[in-house]
Amino acid sequence: MSVWSDMVTIVTATLSGDINFKVVQAYRSEAAWFVFGPLTIIGAIALYYRERFAERLEGRLGYSVTKITHPIISLLLVLGLAAAFLPPINSLLDTLTAGYLAVLVVFGPILLILFERTPERTIVIYCYIVMAAIIFIGVIQRFVFSVQVPWSTTIPPLLFMIMAWFGATFNIRLRTHLSFSEFRTKFGPKGQLFWLTFDNILWLIFCIIVVTTTSRVTVNTYDNFAIVLGTDDTMRWWFLVTMPVCFILLATRAMENIHEDFANYRTDQPLIKQAVIGGDV
């Protein structure tokens, strides 16, 4: 098929959810680059304006939105963990939520972090907490009660994957990931601006590559009905689909860095500053 027809197949099939072998083949073709390349840039621009909205919201409130979102997210995740490990609690909550408990626990936090200025930090924190809680409870179950839920050893690695990539995304914004500051500070302002821009352009190219390739892996996993080991109905693509989203957000951070660098250059502000891992932006 032509590149154009493959592009149409990718877009229409993805939006409709009708994934089959023909669609997987289209994802593997060159057409995927023409779809996900622009999508990465468009998505990055959309997330850029989402963050500007979050900044204005925090300005109006006078405090961080996390003071509102984090308690709600914590409650939802506690309910989700209780339902996962205790069948009676699961039955009760499933009845109270009319069968939409899983949707509430998963999509509730996702909607809430869209109002936050740095969603990566929230994702990293709660992935770590949930991962640690699952491992801790699994160890207690195994060595104290001689029972263990089978997915307690397969879900944590997937959460760690999400935590690691979103953590790297946040550190791109903090400029603590592959910054080479000691080397760059030896240049003048124009040299520093050149290398900082060069870095961020490379990040944008890298994001396009990763979004395209991980989208291929995700749709292939979807087509194969791959289930997370130890579960009956938890699909592996639910976790893999976070990777394209993560790198679209990383492209947003690269764009923000470019905008900040040129603004600092025009106002004679320092281009390279001391950064701290886990600091604020």
Side-chain angles (χ1 to χ4, degrees):
M1 294 190 296
S2 67
V3 171
W4 176 253
S5 62
D6 283 340
M7 291 172 61
V8 173
T9 299
I10 290 172
V11 174
T12 56
T14 303
L15 292 177
S16 65
D18 185 18
I19 306 297
N20 52 39
F21 181 73
K22 179 182 177 181
V23 177
V24 174
Q25 290 296 104
Y27 266 82
R28 293 174 181 172
S29 70
E30 296 297 321
W33 297 100
F34 294 98
V35 173
F36 291 104
L39 179 63
T40 302
I41 303 302
I42 294 171
I45 294 172
L47 291 176
Y48 175 86
Y49 284 103
R50 182 215 63 83
E51 181 158 344
R52 303 289 77 77
F53 164 78
E55 287 180 350
R56 291 193 297 272
L57 179 61
E58 286 193 358
R60 292 178 180 177
L61 292 174
Y63 52 85
S64 175
V65 180
T66 57
K67 291 184 178 181
I68 300 173
T69 59
H70 278 205
I72 302 174
I73 293 174
S74 300
L75 176 61
L76 290 175
L77 292 180
V78 168
L79 292 176
L81 285 172
F85 284 99
L86 301 172
I89 299 296
N90 180 43
S91 299
L92 175 62
L93 292 176
D94 202 48
T95 302
L96 294 176
T97 58
Y100 289 98
L101 176 63
V103 175
L104 181 64
V105 170
V106 174
F107 289 99
I110 291 175
L111 292 176
L112 288 171
I113 64 175
L114 292 178
F115 295 95
E116 297 183 5
R117 190 165 55 89
T118 53
E120 308 100 309
R121 180 181 293 177
T122 299
I123 293 171
V124 169
I125 290 173
Y126 285 104
C127 277
Y128 183 82
I129 291 173
V130 173
M131 179 178 63
I134 292 173
I135 295 173
F136 177 76
I137 296 172
V139 169
I140 297 298
Q141 285 182 324
R142 181 175 182 180
F143 292 100
V144 177
F145 301 102
S146 299
V147 295
Q148 184 179 6
V149 290
W151 48 264
S152 63
T153 57
T154 55
I155 295 291
L158 295 171
L159 294 175
F160 181 83
M161 173 192 70
I162 296 173
M163 180 185 73
W165 286 119
F166 276 96
T169 300
F170 187 54
N171 283 322
I172 292 299
R173 185 67 180 102
L174 295 176
R175 302 174 190 268
T176 56
H177 191 62
L178 300 177
S179 60
F180 305 107
S181 298
E182 297 80 2
F183 171 71
R184 303 293 171 74
T185 52
K186 298 183 182 297
F187 291 91
K190 290 184 178 179
Q192 291 181 9
L193 180 64
F194 171 80
W195 285 112
L196 290 173
T197 305
F198 179 75
D199 287 345
N200 289 306
I201 290 175
L202 287 181
W203 280 121
L204 288 173
I205 296 173
F206 180 67
C207 289
I208 292 173
I209 294 172
V210 175
V211 169
T212 304
T213 53
T214 55
S215 296
R216 288 171 170 171
V217 174
T218 301
V219 76
N220 187 64
T221 306
Y222 177 94
D223 184 54
N224 290 330
F225 301 99
I227 298 175
V228 176
L229 296 178
T231 67
D232 296 324
D233 55 1
T234 302
M235 309 305 295
R236 198 177 303 171
W237 73 267
W238 295 351
F239 296 89
L240 295 179
V241 77
T242 62
M243 292 299 96
V245 176
C246 174
F247 281 90
I248 291 175
L249 181 57
L250 197 155
T252 301
R253 298 311 186 192
M255 290 181 176
E256 289 177 325
N257 288 346
I258 292 174
H259 180 268
E260 182 181 82
D261 291 337
F262 276 91
N264 289 335
Y265 180 78
R266 288 193 298 268
T267 57
D268 293 326
Q269 296 294 321
L271 291 170
I272 299 177
K273 304 173 184 177
Q274 181 65 36
V276 179
I277 294 177
D280 203 352
V281 293

